[in-house]
Amino acid sequence: MAEQTFSIIKPDATRRNLTGKVNAVIEGAGLRIVAQRRIQMTRAQAEKFYEIHKERPFFGELVDFMISAPVVVQVLEGDNAVARYREAMGATNPAQAAEGTIRKLYAESVGENSVHGSDSADNAALEIVQFFKPEEIVG
Ligand code: GDP
């Protein structure tokens, strides 16, 4: 079933000019980039986005990282987009990520791991509205 998921190309990847290479993996996985914008996240935006992790010891480090350089926010569309993108991303820790995944290819560490992808369709919808207006998404 066609669905949408929310993606962020994180600062470690934009800093190394890997946006195109990450997008090539995304498209190669059968996902269509139906909205995309490069932004400098504010601290408030990053804190809200990762609110679920606010009690974790790495929360401060994560927020500092996410605002350390521009990110590319995206909406991806395709059959089972949420699961398909999680598979293309690979495990959170690149040391555990499968061959050919974005994190295996490009991530630097468990924190600086190149991409975010929603973990459920419900969260995808909540995340998409934080960054895109409906008319900016062109399927
Ligand atoms: P994801 O869904 O695979 O992105 O993983 P999680 O939801 O568990 O964590 C969210 C994000 O927090 C990860 O993608 C990392 O950027 C960051 N993160 C997770 N674990 C750690 C950690 O142990 N240290 C640091 N610095 N960041 C972490």
Side-chain angles (χ1 to χ4, degrees), residues 10 50 52-53 56-59 61-62 65-66 86 89-93 103 109-119:
K10 295 183 180 182
Y50 278 121
I52 191 171
H53 293 309
R56 303 264 207 114
F58 57 81
F59 180 70
E61 208 175 293
L62 176 57
F65 166 59
M66 291 301 289
R86 296 289 300 190
M89 287 163 54
T92 308
N93 184 344
R103 285 166 166 169
S109 66
V110 67
E112 307 210 354
N113 60 3
S114 302
V115 280
H116 164 84
S118 309
D119 62 5

Side-chain angles (χ1 to χ4, degrees), residues 9-41:
I9 304 179
K10 295 183 180 182
D12 66 286
T14 62
R15 206 182 270 129
R16 289 175 289 149
N17 271 356
L18 293 172
T19 298
K21 288 202 163 79
V22 170
N23 280 347
V25 179
I26 288 170
E27 294 185 333
L31 292 160
R32 190 179 300 280
I33 301 164
V34 295
Q36 174 170 261
R37 190 188 319 111
R38 181 174 160 103
I39 60 166
Q40 173 62 54
M41 254 195 212

